[in-house]
Amino acid sequence: MDQQNEAYLFLLPSMAGVLLFVILPMLASVLLSLGELKLSGAFSWVGIANYREMLNDSVFWQTVRNTAFFMVTIVPLQLAFGLMLALALNQPIRGRVLYRLIYFMPVVTTIVAAAIVFQLLLNRDFGPISEIFWKLGFTPPNFLGDPDWQKPSVVLLTLWKNTGFTMVIYLAALQGVPQELYDAANVDGATAWQRFRNVTVPLISPTTFFLFVLQMIGAFQLFTEAYVMTRGSSGTPAQATMTVVYYIYQNAFSYNRMGKAAAIAWFLFFFIFLFTLIQTRMQRRWVYYEVN
């Protein structure tokens, strides 16, 4: 057996897994989006009716708006807070390893448990945050019942859960910036802001691009936080926290509309793919890659 065939033999288990668990399910979901699957297992062909119904569904467009809100709030805030924490914990301060551990701990906690804890913290009747409002003489907001406060509550939980991951990645990037560049900037009389703007930001821009794309995809796929904390507020006319992924779940497992759920999933796939492609093209304008 020659080396080329031997290489294919070693790749065969991985390729079989990709074919069985990725490619075939994707093809099946395309077929499912063009039909309707009944509880009895009978499949009926409906063509593009599921896509047409999706585009005419007001609840679907509400979920798109909700997802867009989470995307434009969570992503920039998470990048900003993660970078600030990384800058602070990259300084030679006492106990910084312990601080890094503390800030990273939410990342490894279970999101369902964290969401339940936040439910208790933000509960208007007996939550400790509401208790502080009452003691100060103010009426506490209905964080989990008011549509105007439900979205910020989900954003708060998501930031608490994921900012530590952003911090760790930025820490790795900051430690890769050559100290000689900072020394040269100091010799030239650059201020701390000028060093940050002209040295730090360009050299960590590849990391920023990586985190930006990763977190945007995560924002598009937001589900557990809204489901556990507010159940997507699906029982209210506003559907304030129902995301696209939550609506896919609801159509598939609550309404038994597998075809429509598959159609929405493919809409989400193409939107994420298009967005990622655009960002990959635009990175040439602001991402700095060092050429050796």
Side-chain angles (χ1 to χ4, degrees):
M1 181 181 295
D2 57 27
Q3 291 183 348
Q4 184 176 5
N5 291 332
E6 186 177 353
Y8 287 138
L9 183 62
F10 280 107
L11 288 173
L12 183 61
S14 297
M15 296 305 298
V18 172
L19 176 65
L20 184 62
F21 298 109
V22 178
I23 297 177
L24 290 180
M26 289 181 65
L27 295 176
S29 68
V30 173
L31 180 64
L32 186 60
S33 71
L34 299 174
E36 199 59 62
L37 185 66
K38 305 299 181 182
L39 282 174
S40 61
F43 178 81
S44 58
W45 183 267
V46 298
I48 62 171
N50 288 321
Y51 292 93
R52 188 182 298 114
E53 181 182 349
M54 174 191 71
L55 296 176
N56 293 325
D57 187 351
S58 60
V59 177
F60 166 73
W61 291 112
Q62 178 62 42
T63 65
V64 172
R65 289 190 290 270
N66 293 341
T67 303
F69 173 86
F70 291 129
M71 184 177 62
V72 300
T73 53
I74 292 173
V75 175
L77 289 174
Q78 193 168 311
L79 287 173
F81 290 152
L83 180 56
M84 286 190 294
L85 285 174
L87 289 170
L89 298 180
N90 196 43
Q91 304 301 315
I93 59 176
R94 187 176 182 180
R96 64 178 180 177
V97 175
L98 177 61
Y99 291 128
R100 292 173 183 175
L101 176 63
I102 291 173
Y103 284 114
F104 186 74
M105 282 179 63
V107 179
V108 297
T109 58
T110 305
I111 182 59
V112 175
I116 293 174
V117 170
F118 266 74
Q119 271 188 323
L120 298 176
L121 290 174
L122 299 175
N123 189 282
R124 191 178 188 184
D125 298 326
F126 54 81
I129 295 179
S130 296
E131 187 68 22
I132 295 174
F133 275 90
W134 289 119
K135 288 184 177 181
L136 293 176
F138 299 102
T139 301
N142 190 1
F143 293 104
L144 304 178
D146 187 347
D148 293 331
W149 284 98
Q150 286 175 333
K151 285 193 184 76
S153 300
V154 173
V155 171
L156 181 64
L157 168 61
T158 308
L159 291 176
W160 176 86
K161 179 73 171 65
N162 298 326
T163 300
F165 172 79
T166 306
M167 175 200 70
V168 168
I169 301 299
Y170 267 134
L171 269 173
L174 290 172
Q175 292 172 7
V177 178
Q179 183 61 38
E180 295 81 3
L181 297 178
Y182 291 119
D183 296 337
N186 284 328
V187 171
D188 291 338
T191 63
W193 168 250
Q194 290 172 330
R195 293 194 300 273
F196 172 74
R197 179 183 177 184
N198 299 312
V199 178
T200 305
V201 172
L203 290 180
I204 66 171
S205 57
T207 302
T208 301
F209 171 72
F210 164 75
L211 288 170
F212 179 73
V213 173
L214 194 67
Q215 292 173 9
M216 289 295 265
I217 294 174
F220 280 126
Q221 298 176 336
L222 189 73
F223 169 75
T224 308
E225 295 86 340
Y227 177 76
V228 177
M229 285 190 69
T230 64
R231 290 294 188 271
S233 61
S234 55
T236 65
Q239 280 116 3
T241 59
M242 183 181 290
T243 61
V244 174
V245 175
Y246 187 99
Y247 198 45
I248 293 173
Y249 162 82
Q250 193 175 60
N251 274 277
F253 301 107
S254 296
Y255 306 149
N256 194 34
R257 296 293 311 277
M258 291 291 182
K260 184 178 179 181
I264 300 173
W266 275 103
F267 170 87
L268 183 63
F269 168 79
F270 281 114
F271 196 86
I272 293 176
F273 177 80
L274 180 62
F275 176 83
T276 305
L277 181 63
I278 293 173
Q279 291 302 318
T280 303
R281 294 292 180 88
M282 292 183 62
Q283 68 167 317
R284 303 169 186 172
R285 301 183 180 182
W286 61 276
V287 177
Y288 170 79
Y289 291 104
E290 184 178 0
V291 179
N292 294 325

